[in-house]
Amino acid sequence: MYNRILIPTDGSGCSEVAAQLGLELASRLKAEVTALYALEPLTNVVMTPASVRYYVDLERDLELAGRQALAKIKEWAQAAGVTCHIQEGKGRAAEVILELAPNHDLIVMGTHGYSGLDRFLLGSVATRVLHKSPKPVLVVREGNKAGAVQQILLPTDGSQPSLKALHHGLELAKVLGASVTLLYALEGMYHYLGPEATLYPVDDGLEASFKAIGQEALDQAMAAAKEAGVQAQAKLTAGKAVDRIVEEAKTHHLVVMGTHGRTGLDRLLLGSVTEGVIRRSETPVLVVPKGVAD
């Protein structure tokens, strides 16, 4: 399924957890990995005759730190019996990662979980990679834990992107021998009154319709799991999708989700359920882009 896994690192704690999870998957899937460090341009350094020496020293220190981070991943890979290739690059980290992405089947990377206006408008390396990667991206936040993936959460809303993620998640579960939980959140059963207000339920007729739609999506997902030979359970729940997924994820080792690939200002400011889950989940999230091959 995954033969080549790309593991970018910046030497941070969340990058190390991401590397450990990537190596765990590589070991179980008999895949090889590429550990990548990208030396970003020092755009915040004001160049003057007096500062040139400090610029050179800083760049050298960053190169050394990157090589130490790569050496650590290489050592972990050898202990796990995983073939590990080392790659150093120069340039914007996201662009370096995306340039190598087509030659790999999966990207496993950490994110520092920035929040507030800076997070929404400027984004992070992980955010830019998620937006543009043609391959699945496994995102590990600070505070997430690496370990054997035995239980996978597969949220679905019946859409084409979620169905693609569903089948991808089922294939991964089968290879890993993991069980899955299929989750449908009945978010449409409630009227939204704004971020400061609570949700209130719709009338009984609409409620029955929403439940029927959700149950149909879960029945289809259960049929797919049965066909794939994967042990599965289905859950139909009510409330905001992000809240329900984040809560359910606490008892799982991995969440697999699709993305609708919105663009423009709406995509940048409003985000999506997938982005909301990534920002809040205590569990690593595997994002399957809509264009990934089945």
Side-chain angles (χ1 to χ4, degrees), residues 199-218:
L199 300 176
Y200 70 90
V202 301
D203 62 67
D204 292 342
L206 281 176
E207 180 178 340
S209 297
F210 284 131
K211 284 184 176 180
I213 292 171
Q215 190 59 55
E216 181 180 2
L218 285 177

Side-chain angles (χ1 to χ4, degrees), residues 149 151-158 162-174 178-185 217-218 221-222 224-225 228 230-235 245 248-249 252-258 286 288:
V149 176
Q151 294 175 298
I152 300 176
L153 178 62
L154 302 178
T156 182
D157 60 8
S162 74
L163 289 176
K164 182 176 286 290
L166 168 70
H167 289 289
H168 194 92
L170 288 174
E171 183 181 357
L172 180 60
K174 183 175 182 178
S179 61
V180 304
T181 298
L182 309 167
L183 180 70
Y184 189 103
L218 285 177
M222 283 294 290
V230 174
Q231 181 181 349
Q233 63 171 333
K235 288 190 177 183
I245 295 168
E248 186 67 32
H252 293 74
H253 304 110
L254 181 67
V255 183
V256 181
M257 302 184 69
L286 173 60
V288 182

